Amino acid sequence: MTGFRAPPLVLAVVVVLCLSSPARSLRFDLESGHTRCVAEDIKMEAMAVGKYHVVNPSEGQPFPDSHKITVRVTSPYGNNIHFGDQVESGNFAFTSTEAGDYLACFSAGDHKPPLTIPVEFEWKTGMATKDWTNVAKKGQIDVMELELKKLMDTIQSIHDEMFYLRGREEEMQDLNRATNSRMAWFTALSLLICLSVAGLQLWHLKTFFERKKLL
């Protein structure tokens, strides 16, 4: 009995699906009087959407004012992307104009006694932001064509991400080379200064002993 071999197309689909990264979705506890930040590395001109909400501690009851939070999303250079003050929930969407780590910071007011506020946050970037249901409805395409479009977008996203990471790696290598070069010059300069100081000390001692007629 011969072993089963999957078709190349199936293997390619499996590899692509394994390489594609899902949206970041998490739930965390925010302590009153504290701030918690979530970072996301986003490349240039990438689409990003996010949504958040505070989990009601008493389901079916009015939402307490003590469980409202302040949310700020900033770019790698500190520019404000989104700001929500004393809110229960919210969402944001943007196309990145800067490459690097974007920060979403959540903070709660100081309460006595301290409170723990559960927050749910979801952050999607790249092809995860596309609404494929609407694409299928608008285009009137069959299921197979829709899946192929998804795979093409996934491959393009992975391709762009690989080039982005390669660019970041080259930047880090350039920085390492520049740092090593500066350290070499600094070491040489330090050695020259130490030798100069030692020479001056020897000259001063020789002059001192000659003046005292000890030599």
Side-chain angles (χ1 to χ4, degrees):
M1 180 176 180
T2 59
F4 173 76
R5 295 183 62 185
L9 179 59
V10 175
L11 292 177
V13 170
V14 172
V15 170
V16 169
L17 292 178
C18 290
L19 290 176
S20 59
S21 57
R24 172 174 294 192
S25 180
L26 67 155
R27 176 171 178 169
F28 58 89
D29 291 331
L30 179 64
E31 296 182 4
S32 59
H34 291 75
T35 299
R36 182 163 183 176
C37 296
V38 178
E40 183 74 17
D41 187 7
I42 303 177
K43 61 186 177 183
M44 186 76 72
E45 297 182 354
M47 183 65 184
V49 296
K51 60 181 179 180
Y52 56 89
H53 71 274
V54 178
V55 179
N56 194 335
S58 302
E59 189 174 353
Q61 299 296 324
F63 203 91
D65 291 336
S66 60
H67 279 60
K68 293 185 177 181
I69 60 175
T70 298
V71 183
R72 185 186 300 273
V73 181
T74 56
S75 71
Y77 294 102
N79 297 316
N80 284 330
I81 304 296
H82 169 78
F83 179 72
D85 186 25
Q86 296 298 305
V87 294
E88 305 168 7
S89 61
N91 55 73
F92 57 86
F94 63 90
T95 300
S96 60
T97 56
E98 304 167 12
D101 289 332
Y102 284 74
L103 285 179
C105 293
F106 302 80
S107 58
D110 197 5
H111 297 284
K112 300 296 182 182
L115 298 174
T116 298
I117 303 174
V119 180
E120 288 191 355
F121 177 49
E122 183 177 3
W123 200 341
K124 299 179 182 179
T125 59
M127 67 164 298
T129 61
K130 285 195 174 184
D131 188 349
W132 288 106
T133 303
N134 290 334
V135 171
K137 289 180 180 178
K138 292 178 181 179
Q140 296 296 319
I141 55 181
D142 57 26
V143 176
M144 181 61 70
E145 188 175 355
L146 176 62
E147 292 300 322
L148 288 176
K149 284 183 176 290
K150 287 183 181 181
L151 290 176
M152 289 176 62
D153 257 27
T154 303
I155 294 171
Q156 185 62 42
S157 176
I158 295 173
H159 180 268
D160 294 342
E161 188 70 21
M162 289 176 63
F163 274 94
Y164 171 68
L165 292 176
R166 183 180 298 176
R168 291 294 294 270
E169 182 182 1
E170 290 177 355
E171 291 177 3
M172 292 300 298
Q173 290 177 352
D174 291 341
L175 179 61
N176 289 336
R177 283 192 289 264
T179 302
N180 292 336
S181 177
R182 291 173 184 172
M183 287 299 298
W185 279 106
F186 178 76
T187 302
L189 180 60
S190 300
L191 182 60
L192 179 61
I193 292 175
C194 290
L195 292 175
S196 300
V197 172
L200 287 174
Q201 288 178 339
L202 290 174
W203 175 81
H204 175 72
L205 289 174
K206 181 179 179 182
T207 305
F208 174 77
F209 288 134
E210 287 178 348
R211 192 166 53 245
K212 295 294 185 179
K213 299 181 179 180
L214 297 175
L215 292 179

